[in-house]
Amino acid sequence: MGTSTAARRSRRYRLDVTAAPYALIAPFFLLFAAFGLFPLLYTGWVSLHTVSTLDPNHMTWRGVGNYTALWSDHVFWQSLRNTFVIGLLSAVPELLVALELARLLDRRLRAGTFFRVALLAPYATSVAAAALIFQFVFQQNSAGFANWALHLFGIGPVAWEPGTWTSKFAVATIVFWRWTGYNTLIYLAAMQAVPTELYEAATLDGASPRQQFRKVTVPALRPTILFTAIIAAIGSLQLFGEPYLFGGSGQGINGGPDSQYSTLALYVYRLGFSSEHLGRAAAVAWVIFFIAVAVAGVSALIAARLRRTA
């Protein structure tokens, strides 16, 4: 009796050691399969059919026709260019300013906690509230804050939304305002993890604070900078709320009168719920997914090269 009891306990112990980790992580994978993997695969299946939003259960096989049709879809290419341009206009200044703000906050400042919390305020603000605020900022008449500021320098009112580049700049400004503080705190956390011995050695070598930042801090932050660049790139592919709400109820869904600030994510919504071409919308969604995978692949190669260099 004692031998069988010990054997059962041994089996239960081995089962607990081998199966418990899988049981603990199973809820995540079940939820991911239900709400992540299945919608992704089903969207890929829908992209191979002609489907109307009014009757999503009736699908006609089209193969890769929805994908080949994108080659002659000028709105798709325009949305792709807009996504790339708005991403650059927002991400590059956003990361540079965040790096400089993190450098300033890394010093011993009075009310440092207050400034850190204040930097998170735009990130915590909903995209709807931010877009509505910037609608007033970029009003076309002189009542808008942007045109009022330009008037101080003798520049006449600018039609922000109808313009090809001014509309992209306005949307990029919203993205810049919302995400700069978030990236600042990421950089600040990475800076505080840099060993102080490196700064002490640089001080003994006669390096100034600015030289220490360029020669010590920035090289140590390369993985973090790469991470934030990847997040910014993927975020630009998902850019939807800012251009949609910036255009208002009239032109928001179209990305402007001439789609001058339409993004890929906005075009997916436009195809699926305005034009009722659910199959083509799914094809564009999968193109976004392929681009995101390509960005992740390139970032993995860059990260591997950085590790070899280090």
Side-chain angles (χ1 to χ4, degrees):
M1 184 68 179
T3 304
S4 61
T5 302
R8 286 197 300 271
R9 288 179 178 177
S10 178
R11 285 195 298 270
R12 285 199 300 267
Y13 175 76
R14 289 196 300 269
L15 181 64
D16 179 65
V17 171
T18 56
Y22 296 99
L24 292 173
I25 64 175
F28 165 78
F29 286 101
L30 291 175
L31 291 174
F32 174 75
F35 300 101
L37 186 60
F38 173 74
L40 178 66
L41 297 178
Y42 185 73
T43 301
W45 176 250
V46 171
S47 70
L48 302 176
H49 295 78
T50 299
V51 192
S52 173
T53 311
L54 299 177
D55 189 11
N57 295 322
H58 178 72
M59 297 190 295
T60 304
W61 177 260
R62 196 183 179 189
V64 296
N66 286 324
Y67 292 93
T68 56
L70 296 178
W71 289 103
S72 57
D73 188 348
H74 73 280
V75 179
F76 165 76
W77 291 107
Q78 186 177 10
S79 300
L80 180 61
R81 288 192 300 270
N82 292 343
T83 302
F84 179 76
V85 172
I86 294 175
L88 283 179
L89 289 176
S90 60
V92 174
E94 170 189 317
L95 299 182
L96 291 176
V97 172
L99 192 61
E100 182 63 21
L101 288 175
R103 185 185 70 85
L104 295 175
L105 288 176
D106 194 36
R107 300 178 178 179
R108 295 184 180 275
L109 298 176
R110 291 184 178 179
T113 303
F114 168 78
F115 289 117
R116 295 173 188 178
V117 174
L119 285 172
L120 274 180
Y123 174 71
T125 304
S126 69
V127 62
L132 290 175
I133 292 171
F134 278 91
Q135 271 189 339
F136 291 103
V137 172
F138 291 107
Q139 280 184 345
Q140 299 183 31
N141 52 34
S142 57
F145 176 79
N147 281 334
W148 172 81
L150 292 175
H151 178 71
L152 298 178
F153 296 94
I155 302 175
V158 176
W160 294 97
E161 184 184 357
T164 301
W165 284 96
T166 55
S167 58
K168 295 182 182 63
F169 176 79
V171 174
T173 302
I174 305 175
V175 180
F176 171 86
W177 180 79
R178 291 193 67 230
W179 290 96
T180 299
Y182 173 82
N183 289 309
T184 299
L185 295 184
I186 291 180
Y187 288 152
L188 179 61
M191 285 181 184
Q192 293 179 345
V194 179
T196 56
E197 293 82 1
L198 297 178
Y199 294 107
E200 293 172 356
T203 302
L204 292 176
D205 290 337
S208 64
R210 178 64 67 175
Q211 290 174 331
Q212 292 180 21
F213 178 74
R214 289 189 293 107
K215 300 296 184 179
V216 177
T217 307
V218 173
L221 263 60
R222 284 177 181 173
T224 307
I225 294 173
L226 178 61
F227 167 76
T228 54
I230 296 169
I231 295 300
I234 296 177
S236 66
L237 293 174
Q238 301 173 340
L239 195 60
F240 171 78
E242 289 84 350
Y244 178 74
L245 295 171
F246 175 73
S249 59
Q251 297 295 337
I253 193 172
N254 298 321
D258 299 319
S259 301
Q260 67 268 21
Y261 55 91
S262 174
T263 60
L264 286 176
L266 188 59
Y267 191 47
V268 170
Y269 182 84
R270 176 179 172 182
L271 284 174
F273 296 97
S274 179
S275 302
E276 299 172 3
H277 296 305
L278 198 58
R280 289 180 60 189
V284 177
W286 261 78
V287 169
I288 297 175
F289 173 73
F290 289 141
I291 297 175
V293 170
V295 170
V298 172
S299 65
L301 294 176
I302 296 175
R305 184 173 181 179
L306 289 176
R307 285 194 297 267
R308 289 195 300 268
T309 303

